[in-house]
Amino acid sequence: MGGMIKDMNDSPADPVAHIGIYESVADILTVFRPVMRAMAAAAGPGCEVVLHDLSNPDPDLGHTIVAIENGHVTGRDVGGPSSSLGANVIHNQSAEHNAFGYQGLTSDGRQLRCSSVYFRNTAGRIVAALCVNYDTSTLEQARNLLDGLLTQDPTEPAGQPTEYFGRDLVTVMDGMVAEALREIGKPVEQMSRDDRITVLAKLDSQGALQMRKGVERVAARLGISRVTAYAYLDEARKNAPQERAS
């Protein structure tokens, strides 16, 4: 564990203090591989535990998985892709991305309960992510059968992310685009120019447009040209600081 640096004076209130600082994914894997197996075994076959390598300054998000337990939950394996959150994490290194108990969706529509913890090196850059994804679809079916006998889950806290999973990045992006279009609430052919700018702004904030050919794929879904998509994106980015200020 030569790559790990741990300050015993770190505040217990800091969640990163319990993880330590690592310089290599190999060191993280050495420490957490048994933990991953223990978590998956204890929680059962519906619990996927996955470690992503994000150490490259420009990682290939289509191939980040270095270890995974119960990969059948999202249909992924070692060498498989990141989820939709990966692009946003890489795009916003300085932000705090640790998140617990948020919603995930598989490509076939099953709901997941997810938590993600990110490892940083001494320079503060994110080098890896440890994610736990629990398939709650069977529980949802049971709750529907029992109807009012079980207490409903509390409303999702504001600001919690939604994560999309797929066998490849094209599927992941399709899920992100579908959600952005759904929020507009009208068919693409009825969308105004402002509607399309709103979709591009949302996907840009999520890091989706950082994916390979991201702008081209979204442009096709919006029924506009690549040139028009970039023009709308420029406008969305110019308006973003004004919206935050207001």
Side-chain angles (χ1 to χ4, degrees):
M1 298 193 300
M4 183 178 75
I5 301 173
K6 178 173 170 52
D7 185 355
M8 297 305 290
N9 294 320
D10 282 340
S11 168
D14 179 4
V16 179
H18 298 286
I19 302 170
I21 299 174
Y22 292 82
E23 295 302 324
S24 77
V25 176
D27 287 332
I28 297 171
L29 192 57
T30 298
V31 175
F32 285 90
R33 191 71 177 96
V35 177
M36 293 174 63
R37 289 172 177 161
M39 293 170 65
C47 179
E48 178 187 80
V49 187
V50 56
L51 182 68
H52 294 277
D53 182 353
L54 304 176
S55 59
N56 191 304
D58 185 21
D60 177 0
L61 294 178
H63 304 281
T64 60
I65 297 177
V66 293
I68 189 167
E69 297 289 333
N70 293 331
H72 59 269
V73 171
T74 60
R76 298 179 297 173
D77 206 338
V78 171
S82 171
S83 71
S84 60
L85 294 187
N88 184 45
V89 168
I90 298 303
H91 188 54
N92 299 286
Q93 283 277 335
S94 61
E96 172 57 62
H97 294 288
N98 290 346
F100 308 94
Y102 58 89
Q103 176 179 270
L105 294 171
T106 64
S107 58
D108 59 0
R110 285 175 292 111
Q111 290 191 2
L112 307 178
R113 180 66 65 180
C114 308
S115 293
S116 299
V117 176
Y118 295 87
F119 300 87
R120 296 178 185 267
N121 60 19
T122 51
R125 284 193 59 82
I126 292 171
V127 295
L130 179 65
C131 305
V132 181
N133 309 305
Y134 192 87
D135 185 348
T136 61
S137 59
T138 302
L139 297 178
E140 290 291 337
Q141 292 170 11
R143 186 171 67 179
N144 290 337
L145 290 173
L146 293 172
D147 199 16
L149 296 181
L150 294 179
T151 304
Q152 296 293 314
D153 285 343
T155 303
E156 291 284 339
Q160 287 282 63
T162 297
E163 191 166 12
Y164 301 93
F165 298 87
R167 293 180 182 274
D168 53 48
L169 284 183
V170 173
T171 307
V172 170
M173 175 172 283
D174 281 345
M176 299 171 74
V177 175
E179 176 63 16
L181 296 177
R182 186 191 64 79
E183 290 184 3
I184 296 298
K186 63 179 76 168
V188 171
E189 56 270 19
Q190 295 179 16
M191 286 186 184
S192 66
R193 178 177 180 276
D194 287 344
D195 291 334
R196 289 177 166 87
I197 291 174
T198 298
V199 170
L200 282 162
K202 177 179 177 62
L203 294 171
D204 188 38
S205 70
Q206 293 176 326
L209 303 186
Q210 312 304 315
M211 296 181 184
R212 184 172 178 271
K213 295 187 177 181
V215 174
E216 290 85 341
R217 295 184 195 281
V218 176
R221 292 289 296 274
L222 290 175
I224 57 178
S225 69
R226 176 176 176 272
V227 173
T228 300
Y230 275 109
Y232 287 177
L233 182 58
D234 286 341
E235 184 170 342
R237 288 172 175 171
K238 289 176 183 176
N239 292 336
Q242 300 174 11
E243 293 173 358
R244 285 195 293 267
S246 62

